[in-house]
Amino acid sequence: MEEKNTLTKEHKPYKQLVINATTHETRVALLEDGNLAEIFIERGDISDISGNIYKGRVQRVLPGMQAAFIDIGLGQAAFLYAGDVLRENHLDMEEVLENGPGYEEEQELEPYEKKEERENRKVPIEELLKEGQEIMVHVAKSPLGTKGARVTSHISLPGRFLVLMPNSDHVGISRRIEDEGERLRLKETVARSKNGKYGYILRTAAEGVDEEKLLYEMSFLNNLWGNIQKKFMNVSAPCLLHQELSVTLRAVRDLLIREADKLIIDSRRGHGSILNFLDIIMPSLKDSVELFEGNEPIFDVYNIEVDIARALKRKVWLKSGGYIVIDHTEALVAIDVNTGKYVGKQNHNLEETILKINMEAVKEIAYQIRLRDIGGIIIIDFIDMEKRPNQEKVYKALMEALKKDRSKTNVLPMSEMGLIEMTRKRVKKPLSRMLCEPCFYCEGEAYLLSKQSICYNIYREVLRYGQDVTLGKLSLRVHPDIAELLHGEENHIIQTLEEKIARQVIIYPSPLFHLENFEINEVFLQ
């Protein structure tokens, strides 16, 4: 098992971006060795507005929550915490990194301000904002369910090699650039050439890039920021000031140049747009872009539709015969590991059997969390293991498997009850929220009343209704499954009712009825 893990770690997967672009929806799939690793979806609505910059108006200030609601022109007001309000031209770099740009959640900067100093700068929200005040905000998290977008006034503008921080003079650099000489060269280049008022983050893609390209992007981002400021002065709130790149061009900027080996797209228009974009930022990569012209849908050719369908299922089977169950609740996501059909090998004891399933589950859990884009609090219930070293193996395996994930995760060691608690940064809707909606039958409860319970509810309701009936029969309209039950196994309910109310009850199956719904009416005698 250990040898296999080592091999996996050393192996560099072949990565492809497969893009299905239509007029109403664009889907970007990141494949690793032919397997779907991540999926990004953009539709003609406002479901993903992260990265956009707005001129908003303060609707309400909430001193008790140290936050404010900001009208940015959407159906829901955006939420702004006091800690995200820009003041005295300072920028909390930790907040910027937490809400950082694009797909690349990897920057790590040296702290330029001690934590105690930041604590001392805390100012009550009511002293920072007033109702009706106009403010520039950057969307850190898109709306999710009933929650509006989370915004910050700490603006950041991501480019290919740099991220411009207009309200800071700090220069930071991605931790993935490990060579100290290169780190020093890049920081000195930017520090020497930057406008004194602005700060920058050097992204991973900046490694090895010559000074001319860095200066060109600095100039481009500075001009972009200048145009945003001019627009802010000339428009009334609420108004969109700057829109982040489309999902296709973000994939090119953040994935193709740094990670993927090839990009295939099925839209001629999208193909041209990508080539034009690469002409500006990196012409040498144009040969990596291919136009798909096959007759079969591109996602079918790469077997992506099957993987997406599997990523929406509650139960995921493991190769051994075990399985994991993924349940979303309001507060957290619970993942349960089960032995299923796996009974172990003849020479394995119970502990070895459980360890094998848990180790297999670790890889699948990390994969599903990343693919489904599950965020927030995640509780993983592994099968109980008695030996502490085995618990440590599972924990370390999970930490290793999560290294592929660009989203920030924090994992606690396994508890005595066999639980691992972790958090994963949530920026946008998980795949299930993007592609699904709550069941209109159970309203998201995932349960319906049993047919027998419905029959007993009908009994009680007819009994109440029958007290007021003086003439005629009663008609009972129900779902066909309930009608069949009342005519069959539960026929005694109808017989008892007819005896008690001294009226005939006629059952009518109604296919349009919800399983739990029924209708009682009096039928007058002719």
Side-chain angles (χ1 to χ4, degrees), residues 37-40 98 103 105 141 144 328 331-333 335 365-380 398 401-412 421-431:
E38 296 181 46
I39 181 82
F40 308 95
E98 179 66 19
Y103 296 125
E105 304 296 342
K141 293 183 181 179
L144 181 62
H328 292 257
L332 52 82
V333 174
I335 302 177
I365 289 168
Y367 170 74
Q368 291 294 333
I369 286 174
R370 183 182 173 200
L371 174 58
R372 298 176 187 227
D373 206 6
I374 298 171
I377 300 170
I378 304 168
I379 307 294
I380 308 172
L398 180 61
L402 288 170
K403 284 183 178 179
K404 293 181 180 179
D405 197 342
R406 276 184 298 276
S407 285
K408 183 180 178 182
T409 57
N410 182 34
V411 186
L412 298 179
E421 300 172 53
M422 64 174 285
T423 59
R424 182 175 183 268
K425 183 181 174 186
R426 177 164 48 202
V427 176
K428 57 187 178 66
K429 290 181 181 179
L431 188 63

Side-chain angles (χ1 to χ4, degrees), residues 173-385:
I173 189 165
S174 165
R175 70 169 181 262
R176 293 196 181 185
I177 300 177
E178 297 176 352
D179 183 86
E180 287 301 324
E182 178 64 1
R183 291 174 69 89
L184 183 62
R185 179 188 77 86
L186 290 170
K187 290 187 75 170
E188 286 183 347
T189 299
V190 172
R192 185 172 60 250
S193 309
K194 77 184 187 70
N195 183 317
K197 297 183 294 182
Y198 301 156
Y200 300 87
I201 295 174
L202 284 144
R203 305 185 75 174
T204 305
E207 187 170 14
V209 173
D210 60 43
E211 183 173 345
E212 184 181 353
K213 288 182 179 178
L214 291 175
L215 295 182
Y216 174 82
E217 185 160 283
M218 287 176 70
S219 175
F220 171 79
L221 292 173
N222 291 348
N223 290 337
L224 177 60
W225 173 238
N227 291 335
I228 291 171
Q229 287 180 301
K230 287 178 185 176
K231 189 171 181 180
F232 179 84
M233 299 300 294
N234 295 323
V235 299
S236 57
C239 179
L240 174 66
L241 301 177
H242 169 74
Q243 187 165 13
E244 175 62 308
L245 295 173
S246 68
V247 67
T248 300
L249 297 184
R250 286 204 310 272
V252 173
R253 182 191 68 193
D254 298 330
L255 295 175
L256 176 63
I257 299 176
R258 182 170 66 90
E259 291 189 32
D261 302 285
K262 189 176 182 181
L263 183 150
I264 308 103
I265 184 169
D266 63 357
S267 162
R268 190 171 296 277
R269 182 177 178 181
H271 179 258
S273 175
I274 290 171
L275 294 182
N276 291 337
F277 186 63
L278 286 173
D279 266 334
I280 299 170
I281 64 170
M282 194 165 282
S284 61
L285 277 178
K286 290 171 72 174
D287 290 340
S288 302
V289 180
E290 177 185 317
L291 175 63
F292 177 82
E293 298 183 283
N295 294 323
E296 196 176 351
I298 189 170
F299 269 31
D300 288 350
V301 171
Y302 288 90
N303 207 36
I304 297 171
E305 298 289 10
V306 174
D307 287 334
I308 293 174
R310 183 168 175 260
L312 297 176
K313 293 186 180 297
R314 178 173 175 263
K315 181 185 286 189
V316 179
W317 287 96
L318 306 175
K319 289 181 180 178
S320 66
Y323 64 88
I324 62 173
V325 175
I326 303 173
D327 284 317
H328 292 257
T329 72
E330 189 71 22
L332 52 82
V333 174
I335 302 177
D336 188 38
V337 182
N338 296 278
T339 54
K341 304 170 187 174
Y342 184 68
V343 293
K345 295 181 179 178
Q346 192 171 1
N347 59 342
H348 279 187
N349 59 34
L350 178 60
E351 183 78 4
E352 289 173 331
T353 299
I354 291 172
L355 176 61
K356 184 180 187 310
I357 295 173
N358 282 339
M359 291 294 283
E360 185 183 10
V362 158
K363 187 177 178 182
E364 187 65 35
I365 289 168
Y367 170 74
Q368 291 294 333
I369 286 174
R370 183 182 173 200
L371 174 58
R372 298 176 187 227
D373 206 6
I374 298 171
I377 300 170
I378 304 168
I379 307 294
I380 308 172
D381 185 7
F382 287 99
I383 305 169
D384 290 342
M385 295 172 290

Side-chain angles (χ1 to χ4, degrees), residues 448-460 478-479 482 485-486 493 514-518:
L448 290 172
L449 282 173
S450 70
K451 295 182 181 68
Q452 189 177 46
S453 296
I454 294 168
C455 289
Y456 293 162
N457 284 349
I458 290 171
Y459 171 82
R460 287 186 285 270
V478 295
H479 187 278
I482 303 301
L485 200 60
L486 290 173
I493 290 177
H514 182 295
L515 186 72
E516 295 179 358
N517 286 354
F518 53 88

Side-chain angles (χ1 to χ4, degrees), residues 7-208:
L7 288 173
T8 304
K9 186 177 179 182
E10 291 175 356
H11 169 67
K12 185 181 183 299
Y14 178 72
K15 297 185 180 183
Q16 296 171 286
L17 284 168
V18 179
I19 303 178
N20 169 226
T22 65
T23 54
H24 55 275
E25 179 186 61
T26 300
R27 299 183 296 172
V28 178
L30 174 63
L31 305 185
E32 294 181 352
D33 289 334
N35 298 314
L36 179 62
E38 296 181 46
I39 181 82
F40 308 95
I41 300 172
E42 184 175 80
R43 290 175 172 167
D45 53 18
I46 56 166
S47 57
D48 185 8
I49 59 170
S50 57
N52 287 359
I53 299 174
Y54 293 86
K55 181 175 185 178
R57 180 177 287 109
V58 179
Q59 272 188 345
R60 289 178 61 200
V61 177
L62 309 171
M65 296 181 66
Q66 283 302 293
F69 285 116
I70 312 294
D71 177 14
I72 57 174
L74 307 180
Q76 294 170 302
F79 198 72
L80 176 65
Y81 283 106
D84 290 325
V85 179
L86 187 68
R87 51 193 180 276
E88 298 176 6
N89 214 29
H90 282 291
L91 185 65
D92 189 334
M93 195 62 70
E94 287 187 359
E95 283 295 325
V96 172
L97 297 178
E98 179 66 19
N99 303 319
Y103 296 125
E104 190 177 28
E105 304 296 342
E106 60 172 22
Q107 290 78 17
E108 183 180 83
L109 307 179
E110 305 84 351
Y112 73 102
E113 183 181 41
K114 291 181 181 178
K115 186 176 181 181
E116 306 87 71
E117 293 173 352
R118 289 199 303 273
E119 292 293 327
N120 291 336
R121 288 197 294 103
K122 283 186 176 178
V123 181
I125 187 76
E126 59 270 28
E127 294 182 21
L128 297 170
L129 297 174
K130 304 296 179 186
E131 290 186 10
Q133 179 181 339
E134 293 184 338
I135 181 174
M136 186 187 298
V137 291
H138 189 169
V139 178
K141 293 183 181 179
S142 294
L144 181 62
T146 58
K147 298 178 182 177
R150 178 175 170 181
V151 296
T152 173
S153 59
H154 300 160
I155 309 298
S156 61
L157 289 173
R160 176 66 204 104
F161 309 116
L162 299 163
V163 180
L164 170 66
M165 314 304 251
N167 303 301
S168 167
D169 60 0
H170 185 77
V171 177
I173 189 165
S174 165
R175 70 169 181 262
R176 293 196 181 185
I177 300 177
E178 297 176 352
D179 183 86
E180 287 301 324
E182 178 64 1
R183 291 174 69 89
L184 183 62
R185 179 188 77 86
L186 290 170
K187 290 187 75 170
E188 286 183 347
T189 299
V190 172
R192 185 172 60 250
S193 309
K194 77 184 187 70
N195 183 317
K197 297 183 294 182
Y198 301 156
Y200 300 87
I201 295 174
L202 284 144
R203 305 185 75 174
T204 305
E207 187 170 14

Side-chain angles (χ1 to χ4, degrees), residues 467-484:
Q467 305 300 322
D468 301 323
V469 175
T470 55
L471 299 170
K473 308 174 184 179
L474 289 183
S475 72
L476 177 61
R477 295 190 179 276
V478 295
H479 187 278
D481 288 355
I482 303 301
E484 184 179 349

